Amino acid sequence: METETKPNAGQEWQIGIGGMTCASCVARVERALKRVPGVVDASVNLATESARVRTAAAMTRELLAAAVVGAGYEANWPSEEPEAATGPTAQELALQREQQHLIIAVLLSLPLVVPMLALPFGVHWMLPGWLQLALATPVQFWLGARFYRAAWGALKARSGNMDLLVAIGTSAGYGLSVFHLLQAATAHITAPLYFEASAVVITLVLLGKWLEGRARRQTTDAIRALQALRPATARVIRDGVESEVPIAAVRLGDSVRVLPGERIPVDARVLQGLSHVDESLLTGESFPVSKEPGDLVTGGAVNGEGVLLLGTRAIGAETALARIIRLVEDAQAHKAPIQRVVDRVSAVFVPVVIVLALLTLLGWGFGHGDWDRALLNAVAVLVIACPCALGLATPTAIMAGTGMAARAGILIKDAQALESALGLRTVAFDKTGTLTLGLPALLDVVVIDDGRGGHRDGDAAPASPADASGVPRAGAAAVDPDHALAIAAALQSGSEHPLAKAVLALARTRGLDWPTAQSLRAVAGRGIEGNIDGERWRLGSSRWMQESGVAELPLADAVARHQQAGHSLSWLAVGDDGCVSVLALLAFGDQPRPEAAAAVQALKALGICSVLISGDHQAAAAHLAQLVGIEAGDVHAEVLPEQKASVVRELVAAGPTAMVGDGVNDAPALAAATVGFAMGSGTDVAMHAAGVTLMRSDPRLIADAIDISRRATRKIQQNLFWAFIYNLIGIPLAAAGLLNPVIAGAAMALSSVSVVSNTLLLRRWRPRALVTRSMPQG
């Protein structure tokens, strides 16, 4: 359906390109698009049959389409409406048409080639010449019309492509056979015919294109799997009435009901209900995640056993699923740096091959006087040199690699990030939110006994309140760790402060009941105080305790131990100013992620050194490094946010370095690294600055991302080797007369199929983080 087009300035366009067959086609379409005034850059992908065009000036789609058509290709625009959930896609219909043409070509070519195959067995029988002509002509001019159309477009654009090579080569064989047939009819002699060569070459090329199409479709499985996660409808409740509406009709703030087993239609927050949600296709997380009121859910995830009432937070293109699909599509559309070298080679490849074929023709013709043999050898050179494999070597590997990574919860932004990860030697970790959970937890409760020591959380002995000097007050009620925790929870029950949440979380975990605090008052920068059972209690910093009249804080050993580990300290005290008694010490700290040590070990197994960059003081950073397995010499502590990028640049100067972070202050460091990794729980700024985003906050995915990047890059190198080796070996053999056109056509088709088949081996890759998580612990 045609839609009104509007000029767009400074944006990216995505165009479907029809009719491309090889790397030379890619180069030609790119040149045509780059010549359009206002186009900054154009990148064409043979595997996805699409182009990404970046413009800096006002532009309409008609101008871009005219450039593509002028180059001899078709311009198709992506539908702006959601794809139907049922029915074959355009790609599937094209593949079905390819299959039908291939079957017809095989049926017509088989009678031509069977007599030739029977010759080694002593069977000398050939079809009459006019019957051979009748069978070969539909193959040449009907099924092979696509090659003539594309070849004519290439000639008009003064360039060459695979279709030009096939059209010239098969036309030469067909034309020579027609000439000999007419000559034999008029002179009543028997002349050699080569109809089987031209027909079989076209059939083999069609076979290769069909096999490529099937294999390329498998490389886009990840995108199709993500697109299939979009439900077509949603149950929306408006004005107390529940109705099922198309997903496009859902609005922000709508209440949506999701039944057990259904896909969640939108990004939302749980309003009512308890359930587990399977987010595996979005995050790679193998276990369902429990959801309760207040939790966030992502559109496309599968609801478990409960009924959920959701409040819509994002719709359409702003949902997490839509952003993931765009990221993967962008990564598959961009070119790896190595592909640019291939493009430059492909630009001159076809003209060079035509010259070699011409030299072969002249060399055999004048050298041996056998112009029939000369023409067949020239045809063999043209056919075997088709650069299909060159055009598929890189994009298919990128598509397969980024697709498999996306399924594991690893979003690779572009092909440059994929290739950059190959040579990484160092991974620099930010501390908070990356190797740690990023949320404070109450790690220790130490109560005072006699002012000289203390009972840690879990000790049996109770403690007595202390006077203002830190010594227990005579006659005061004893306090044990659970009692101290209950009092602290009462004071913090109405607070949203991270430390308050840590207190309440531990109290709930222990199943404690806490009293109600009255007259609560927050003291800015100090803490909180309130009345509980007729006494005035306060929970706050060391500075507040000293300001309240506590001459000397007790528990010196515990204080030193926790400060050494970088923990935050709060004191629980009772009394009014001038008569404050300290009862307990609460130590808060950011805990290492459970997977952090395994992540560092996995990187070490890949030969990669882990480095910690932290703004914490040296002792705290060293303590975390020791817990997760980072060497003491690889810790950079007390680094200010603005200094992180400088540290990363120093590491990059010593070797390729990745940076892992999650906060706004990490963005410059992520951009300065060879490749940046952003944790999925982090900020949008960090994700935009990073080349790789981890959909779940599991640092083990970093090793998986590097592993799949290495494997995909190796596949690119292997594919280019196979693409070039066929030509390096095949062209000299064909020029020397050691390959006939049929064998050359088979080798050409085999080169493309071997490249794509080699790429599909990436589909066997499995992330170690997922395998490790699925294993029983113990």
Side-chain angles (χ1 to χ4, degrees), residues 179-430:
F179 174 74
H180 282 176
L181 184 62
L182 295 174
Q183 187 182 47
T186 55
H188 303 287
I189 59 174
T190 302
L193 302 178
Y194 308 105
F195 287 117
E196 83 282 347
S198 60
V200 171
V201 164
I202 288 177
T203 301
L204 287 171
V205 173
L206 293 176
L207 172 63
K209 297 302 293 179
W210 178 70
L211 290 173
E212 287 170 23
R214 281 191 62 193
R216 287 196 324 224
R217 188 174 182 275
Q218 293 180 54
T219 63
T220 59
D221 277 350
I223 288 291
R224 287 200 306 278
L226 289 170
Q227 290 172 337
L229 298 180
R230 295 167 167 163
T233 60
R235 288 186 178 82
V236 176
I237 301 174
R238 293 174 183 159
D239 300 324
V241 178
E242 179 177 321
S243 59
E244 192 165 322
V245 302
I247 193 67
V250 180
R251 300 191 295 262
L252 288 177
D254 275 346
S255 295
V256 176
R257 190 184 305 279
V258 182
L259 301 181
E262 292 184 337
R263 289 201 179 275
I264 294 171
V266 292
D267 289 2
R269 186 182 299 276
V270 178
L271 301 178
Q272 294 178 15
L274 300 172
S275 187
H276 285 79
V277 172
D278 181 358
E279 301 175 335
S280 57
L281 274 177
L282 291 167
T283 67
E285 173 59 69
S286 57
F287 292 98
V289 181
S290 63
K291 299 294 181 180
E292 60 185 35
D295 288 343
L296 302 179
V297 293
T298 305
V302 180
N303 184 28
E305 72 285 358
V307 177
L308 295 177
L309 181 65
L310 309 176
T312 304
R313 296 176 57 251
I315 56 175
E318 298 306 314
T319 63
L321 176 60
R323 292 199 302 269
I324 291 170
I325 292 174
R326 284 200 301 272
L327 278 172
V328 179
E329 287 176 337
D330 287 347
Q332 294 183 347
H334 282 84
K335 292 186 177 182
I338 194 172
Q339 177 64 27
R340 305 191 186 281
V341 178
V342 176
D343 291 345
R344 287 196 293 270
V345 172
S346 302
V348 299
F349 186 78
V350 172
V352 168
V353 169
I354 292 176
V355 170
L356 289 175
L358 182 60
L359 291 175
T360 300
L361 174 69
L362 297 177
W364 278 88
F366 289 113
H368 297 272
D370 188 348
W371 287 97
D372 284 3
R373 180 72 182 276
L375 184 59
L376 288 178
N377 291 342
V379 169
V381 170
L382 291 171
V383 171
I384 200 169
C386 292
C388 313
L390 279 180
L392 294 170
T394 299
T396 53
I398 291 172
M399 291 169 67
T402 54
M404 292 305 297
R407 287 189 168 191
I410 302 165
L411 300 183
I412 300 175
K413 182 186 291 186
D414 53 40
Q416 185 165 354
L418 186 80
E419 192 170 324
S420 297
L422 174 67
L424 287 176
R425 292 294 174 264
T426 304
V427 171
F429 288 94
D430 174 55

Side-chain angles (χ1 to χ4, degrees), residues 110-128 131-132 135:
L110 204 56
L112 296 172
V113 77
V114 166
M116 186 182 71
L117 297 175
L119 286 176
F121 301 99
V123 179
H124 298 276
W125 169 79
M126 297 293 291
L127 289 173
L131 185 54
Q132 292 187 45
L135 291 171

Side-chain angles (χ1 to χ4, degrees), residues 421-635:
L422 174 67
L424 287 176
R425 292 294 174 264
T426 304
V427 171
F429 288 94
D430 174 55
K431 173 177 168 285
T432 305
T434 303
L435 288 178
T436 68
L437 294 172
L439 296 171
L442 180 52
L443 305 178
D444 199 5
V445 178
V446 186
V447 294
I448 300 167
D449 54 14
D450 58 2
R452 294 171 298 186
H455 288 280
R456 296 185 62 184
D457 193 354
D459 289 349
S464 300
D467 61 20
S469 66
V471 179
R473 287 191 291 116
V479 176
D480 63 20
D482 280 353
H483 185 192
L485 180 57
I487 295 295
L491 293 172
Q492 299 282 27
S493 59
S495 174
E496 290 296 318
H497 192 279
L499 296 185
K501 292 181 178 180
V503 170
L504 295 170
L506 183 59
R508 290 193 189 100
T509 299
R510 296 191 175 180
L512 300 180
D513 293 323
W514 54 85
T516 301
Q518 306 291 335
S519 304
L520 287 170
R521 183 175 75 95
V523 181
R526 301 294 188 269
I528 191 166
E529 62 180 352
N531 295 332
I532 300 175
D533 296 332
E535 291 191 286
R536 191 67 174 171
W537 292 82
R538 61 183 64 186
L539 178 66
S541 65
S542 302
R543 182 176 179 180
W544 191 24
M545 296 299 111
Q546 292 167 350
E547 292 174 348
S548 300
V550 177
E552 181 180 351
L553 291 171
L555 305 174
D557 291 343
V559 170
R561 181 177 67 253
H562 286 297
Q563 286 181 339
Q564 182 75 6
H567 297 156
S568 299
L569 304 179
S570 290
W571 297 90
L572 180 65
V574 64
D576 293 317
D577 287 346
C579 188
V580 173
S581 299
V582 175
L583 301 180
L585 170 68
L586 281 67
F588 299 86
D590 190 3
Q591 294 177 296
R593 290 188 180 276
E595 313 88 359
V600 172
Q601 186 60 37
L603 290 171
K604 181 181 271 189
L606 293 175
I608 296 175
C609 172
S610 296
V611 171
L612 177 63
I613 302 177
S614 174
D616 283 349
H617 57 77
Q618 182 68 39
H623 178 71
L624 175 67
Q626 183 181 13
L627 290 177
V628 301
I630 296 177
E631 299 291 334
D634 294 322
V635 176

